[in-house]
């Protein structure tokens, strides 16, 4: 062990497991089901590994070896970096699969499955700040959050649901100006605020529905019909989205 290693603070396997068990116990006391807690922790673990993979593969240190060491050293540096990066990617993939389907009898995380409670809660956490970045809380919110999100998430596989907050953020960034126009014209405070056809514009779920209308309209209509949600809500959002283009 060299001096640099001695100065690093690294957790051993027993300490990491202790922290995880402690967190599970604390979440259980707060009423979080153990399966949901395990899934959330697993997603954090997989995400940390994926971020480490990205940093090693794309970071400045990964791209350039010390110049004074020569070409042969640089070649070994790059080969070693690539090997570590690939290994981290494999571990991140395995960890994600385990988090999304810890039971071997469960379908592949690449296939659609019933929407889970943790998936629903993650979606709620993702949509609210995005919605509030465009408009305010509305007293006319139809309060059908879980029914709408069940239809939205039903268009995706567990793996896609795990990455849905990122997809929503990208959608919001790409269509920022268009979303601003939509909520200004049809949302809280607008001249048509009480029009039932546009009721869903008053709900944070509208951001998620709009993303699915753009990315997977056919699947969304199928899930919408299966959930027996009002067709007018979807038609209203479709009309509003088109007029805001």
């Amino acid at each position: 062990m060299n001096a640099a290693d001695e100065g690093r603070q690294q957790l051993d396997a027993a300490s990491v497991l202790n922290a995880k068990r402690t967190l599970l116990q604390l979440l259980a006391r707060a009423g979080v089901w153990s399966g949901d807690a395990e899934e959330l922790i697993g997603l954090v673990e997989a995400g940390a590994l994926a971020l480490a993979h990205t940093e090693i593969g794309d970071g400045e240190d990964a791209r350039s070896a010390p110049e004074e060491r020569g070409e042969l050293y640089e070649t070994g540096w790059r080969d070693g970096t690539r090997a570590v990066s690939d290994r981290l990617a494999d571990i991140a993939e395995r960890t994600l699969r385990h988090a999304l389907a810890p039971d071997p009898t469960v379908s592949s995380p690449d296939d659609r499955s019933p929407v889970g409670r943790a998936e629903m809660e993650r979606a709620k956490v993702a949509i609210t700040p995005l919605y509030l970045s465009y408009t305010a809380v509305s007293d006319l919110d139809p309060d059908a959050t879980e029914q709408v999100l069940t239809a939205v998430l039903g268009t995706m596989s567990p793996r896609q649901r795990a990455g849905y907050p990122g997809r929503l953020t990208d959608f919001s960034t790409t269509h920022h100006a268009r979303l601003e126009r939509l909520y200004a014209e049809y949302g809280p405070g607008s001249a048509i605020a009480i029009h039932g056809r546009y009721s869903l514009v008053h709900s944070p779920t509208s951001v998620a529905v709009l993303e699915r209308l753009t990315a997977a309209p056919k699947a969304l209509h199928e899930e919408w019909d299966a959930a027996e949600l009002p067709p007018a809500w979807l038609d209203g959002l479709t009309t509003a989205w088109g007029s805001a283009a």
Side-chain angles (χ1 to χ4, degrees):
M1 179 181 295
N2 59 37
D5 291 331
E6 291 176 356
R8 291 173 180 157
Q9 297 295 317
Q10 297 180 335
L11 290 178
D12 56 80
S15 298
V16 172
L17 183 58
N18 171 267
K20 182 176 180 178
R21 287 174 174 170
T22 301
L23 181 56
L24 286 170
Q25 289 187 21
L26 290 173
L27 290 172
R29 292 174 194 170
V32 180
W33 179 59
S34 61
D36 290 341
E38 287 274 9
E39 180 180 326
L40 290 170
I41 293 173
L43 290 177
V44 172
E45 291 174 338
L49 289 165
L51 291 174
H53 162 256
T54 300
E55 184 171 344
I56 289 175
D58 299 335
E60 185 65 33
D61 290 340
R63 293 193 295 270
S64 58
E67 295 180 0
E68 67 276 8
R69 295 301 186 98
E71 184 178 346
L72 185 61
Y73 185 91
E74 182 177 354
T75 300
W77 177 290
R78 293 184 183 279
D79 289 344
T81 298
R82 188 178 301 110
V84 172
S85 178
D86 290 346
R87 179 59 176 155
L88 271 175
D90 291 340
I91 297 173
E93 168 69 17
R94 186 172 69 244
T95 303
L96 178 60
R97 282 186 170 274
H98 179 74
L100 297 178
D103 185 342
T105 64
V106 175
S107 299
S108 165
D110 295 311
D111 297 330
R112 289 191 198 179
S113 64
V115 178
R117 180 166 46 185
E119 293 172 326
M120 180 74 69
E121 292 303 318
R122 292 202 308 271
K124 290 179 183 177
V125 170
I127 60 175
T128 301
L130 290 176
Y131 178 79
L132 293 179
S133 70
Y134 295 107
T135 188
V137 175
S138 175
D139 292 335
L140 300 178
D141 184 342
D143 193 25
T145 299
E146 296 205 353
Q147 297 95 312
V148 173
L149 287 182
T150 295
V152 166
L153 295 173
T155 66
M156 293 174 269
S157 68
R159 183 191 296 275
Q160 292 171 323
R161 294 169 196 163
Y164 193 50
R167 183 185 292 271
L168 279 173
T169 300
D170 291 342
F171 170 77
S172 179
T173 300
T174 301
H175 300 284
H176 185 82
R178 189 176 178 183
L179 287 165
E180 280 189 329
R181 291 193 294 270
L182 182 148
Y183 286 107
E185 184 174 353
Y186 296 94
S190 69
I192 54 174
I194 60 173
H195 198 307
R197 179 177 175 80
Y198 302 105
S199 295
L200 209 60
V201 184
H202 293 258
S203 168
T205 61
S206 56
V207 179
V209 176
L210 288 168
E211 188 280 330
R212 291 287 87 188
L213 275 173
T214 302
K218 183 176 183 296
L220 178 63
H221 278 86
E222 291 173 354
E223 294 294 332
W224 199 269
D225 291 342
E228 298 183 346
L229 287 163
W233 287 358
L234 197 54
D235 291 342
L237 271 182
T238 303
T239 299
W241 188 236
S243 69

